[in-house]
Amino acid sequence: YSKYSNYIYQKNIENIMIYVLSVALLFGFAVTALPATPVSPLLERQACSPSSNIPAVSTTYLPDPFVFADGTRVTSVDQWSCRQQEILNAYQQYEFGDLPPAPSSLTASLSGNTLSITVSVSGKSSTFTASISGRSGSSAQPAIIAIGGYSIPIPSGVATITFNNDGFAQQNGGGSRGIGTFYDLHGNGHSAGALTAWAWGVSRIIDALEKLGSSATGIDTTRLGVTGCSRNGKGAFVVGALDKRIALTIPQESGAGGAACWRISDAEKALGKNIQTASQIVGENVWFSTRFNQWTSKTNTLPYDHHLLAGLIAPRGLYVPENVIDWLGPVSTTACMRAGRLIYKALGKQQNMGVSVAAAHNHCQFPSSQNSELTEFINYFLLKGSSAPQDLDKSAVSADVNKYINWSVPTLA
Ligand code: MCU
């Protein structure tokens, strides 16, 4: 018995020693295997932790871009980036629905001008395509991603990539919610409205281009623009806001849900204008999350407005061509985008955003009077010309931004 117990005792000691040794080894390994993470990004991440539950407010003024929901003021460019994350959270909470993260798997191939992208999300997989045109020459070119098509003149040297947004998320009246590739992947009850769904799809096009590389695609992904008109202009605006890889956003005649501010449009409606408002738009189509429905009759409670859609893009390139058609809300788009430009001003980059509300012309027929403005933006942001666009703030209607704001503009840069 004693021999046996001694044996067990010995074995126990051995086991304990093996255990201690392996823990020590594992620990040592783990310590040496730890990447030499620089402390600053970690601290930065800790420093920016915006709330994902932004409370409603009550103000007829466009909310102050430069104050966090907790009342802290934005005093630097870094803090602006953090405030942008908070604004993005608010947009998702009230209007867009959730923007899903990048998919777990993505494969891409290019055959002629057809880019095919297969994405998998939680075990579901789907393939969609985008068509590229206008590639020429041997070096990688900039490209403009066209949401459903484009109606601006695009110069040679700039390729176009057409995204079939309707196939990705339908926009065919109030009954078309939850249909298309996005909802096949994420479920037809997903909270994202069509604009957000499209933005997620365009991000996958950019992922695919990055993955294949510029020598295979002929596209330089550091010089991407996005455009679309009217409903697709709302889409272009949201794409630019949700993907920082877009260097130049050109939302054409986007009106309500794009360049117009909900509050100003409601005020204009109260003055008797035939203008599209939040209450009307949510019944017309499925551009937004159903989360937005409960706010449309009280837009003064939104903790953001669409000047902050421009703010999500700032200081990246943004050219906003609009039209004076009543339904688009020319006073609203003019004042709202002027408020957006104040954010660019605070960042010391006012010229990076141009507002141009042109005199009456057919909807989505880009007037030649705007050609030179567009050219300046494309030259600078996509063709890498050396001169920044001239300061651009033009409107065929008068709209005083100071009537709609009660905040001042800090100097952040
Ligand atoms: C300006 O964009 C929309 C507008 O929001 C809708 O109310 C209207 O039905 O269609 C416009 C549009 O997309 O025109 C092509």
Side-chain angles (χ1 to χ4, degrees):
Y1 170 81
S2 91
K3 237 173 150 187
Y4 184 67
S5 65
N6 208 16
Y7 172 77
I8 292 184
Y9 175 76
Q10 282 289 338
K11 272 287 160 208
N12 276 344
I13 298 279
E14 268 171 42
N15 283 345
I16 288 167
M17 280 178 67
I18 288 168
Y19 177 77
V20 167
L21 220 85
S22 34
V23 167
L25 268 173
L26 256 175
F27 184 72
F29 180 73
V31 167
T32 46
L34 274 179
T37 321
V39 178
S40 54
L42 202 73
L43 286 178
E44 261 168 40
R45 246 174 289 143
Q46 283 168 349
C48 180
S49 44
S51 166
S52 52
N53 184 12
I54 319 291
V57 299
S58 177
T59 174
T60 56
Y61 293 104
L62 303 178
D64 189 341
F66 308 108
V67 59
F68 286 92
D70 72 0
T72 317
R73 297 216 63 88
V74 174
T75 55
S76 68
V77 173
D78 276 356
Q79 284 175 6
W80 174 251
S81 305
C82 188
R83 170 77 172 126
Q84 279 180 316
Q85 290 181 41
E86 183 177 85
I87 294 165
L88 182 58
N89 289 346
Y91 260 105
Q92 292 181 80
Q93 183 185 338
Y94 288 81
E95 187 168 322
F96 289 167
D98 295 333
L99 176 72
S104 48
S105 122
L106 181 145
T107 55
S109 65
L110 183 65
S111 162
N113 287 323
T114 305
L115 179 64
S116 293
I117 303 157
T118 301
V119 286
S120 300
V121 173
S122 316
K124 286 183 216 142
S125 164
S126 201
T127 300
F128 68 104
T129 60
S131 64
I132 309 182
S133 62
R135 282 176 296 170
S136 59
S138 49
S139 58
Q141 286 173 250
I144 291 182
I145 300 171
I147 307 300
Y150 63 93
S151 35
I152 52 167
I154 295 181
S156 64
V158 179
T160 56
I161 301 170
T162 304
F163 172 56
N164 174 13
N165 58 326
D166 289 358
F168 208 77
Q170 251 189 40
Q171 51 166 343
N172 194 18
S176 64
R177 187 175 291 281
I179 304 168
T181 308
F182 178 89
Y183 301 99
D184 295 343
L185 288 163
H186 297 281
N188 58 10
H190 194 278
S191 63
L195 305 181
T196 309
W198 301 339
W200 191 85
V202 169
S203 292
R204 306 297 68 88
I205 293 178
I206 305 175
D207 292 348
L209 293 169
E210 283 181 346
K211 202 160 188 177
L212 292 169
S214 62
S215 51
T217 63
I219 303 296
D220 176 356
T221 51
T222 68
R223 294 185 290 155
L224 291 174
V226 64
T227 192
C229 190
S230 207
R231 58 196 59 205
N232 296 340
K234 308 179 205 307
F237 218 143
V238 173
V239 167
L242 295 187
D243 197 315
K244 288 195 183 299
R245 293 171 293 182
I246 299 284
L248 175 61
T249 304
I250 310 170
Q252 183 186 10
E253 301 186 32
S254 58
C261 278
W262 301 121
R263 285 171 173 81
I264 307 179
S265 299
D266 279 345
E268 288 290 292
K269 174 84 182 171
L271 294 173
K273 304 269 180 70
N274 176 32
I275 184 174
Q276 185 164 37
T277 60
S279 304
Q280 190 280 340
I281 206 169
V282 293
E284 181 185 331
N285 223 314
V286 293
W287 294 308
F288 308 102
S289 173
T290 53
R291 288 176 189 168
F292 193 42
N293 296 353
Q294 62 171 302
W295 304 103
T296 57
S297 63
K298 43 182 179 186
T299 58
N300 286 348
T301 63
L302 295 170
Y304 65 92
D305 211 318
H306 274 230
H307 59 313
L308 297 179
L309 193 58
L312 287 176
I313 298 175
R316 287 175 290 130
L318 175 59
Y319 171 57
V320 187
E322 278 287 335
N323 197 340
V324 294
I325 295 169
D326 282 353
W327 190 244
L328 301 177
V331 169
S332 184
T333 56
T334 302
C336 187
M337 292 297 101
R338 282 183 174 154
R341 272 190 107 230
L342 294 174
I343 301 168
Y344 279 74
K345 186 179 179 194
L347 295 166
K349 297 276 192 222
Q350 190 168 240
Q351 284 159 289
N352 286 4
M353 177 180 173
V355 183
S356 174
V357 183
H361 55 276
N362 287 338
H363 188 40
C364 295
Q365 284 188 17
F366 194 76
S368 57
S369 61
Q370 289 178 320
N371 278 346
S372 61
E373 302 166 357
L374 174 65
T375 301
E376 287 186 14
F377 277 85
I378 291 180
N379 281 352
Y380 185 63
F381 288 103
L382 301 183
L383 293 168
K384 287 291 166 227
S386 54
S387 28
Q390 293 173 60
D391 212 45
L392 176 65
D393 177 358
K394 268 190 198 164
S395 181
V397 299
S398 64
D400 180 7
V401 65
N402 293 310
K403 207 173 131 186
Y404 306 101
I405 65 175
N406 61 351
W407 33 269
S408 53
V409 182
T411 303
L412 304 177

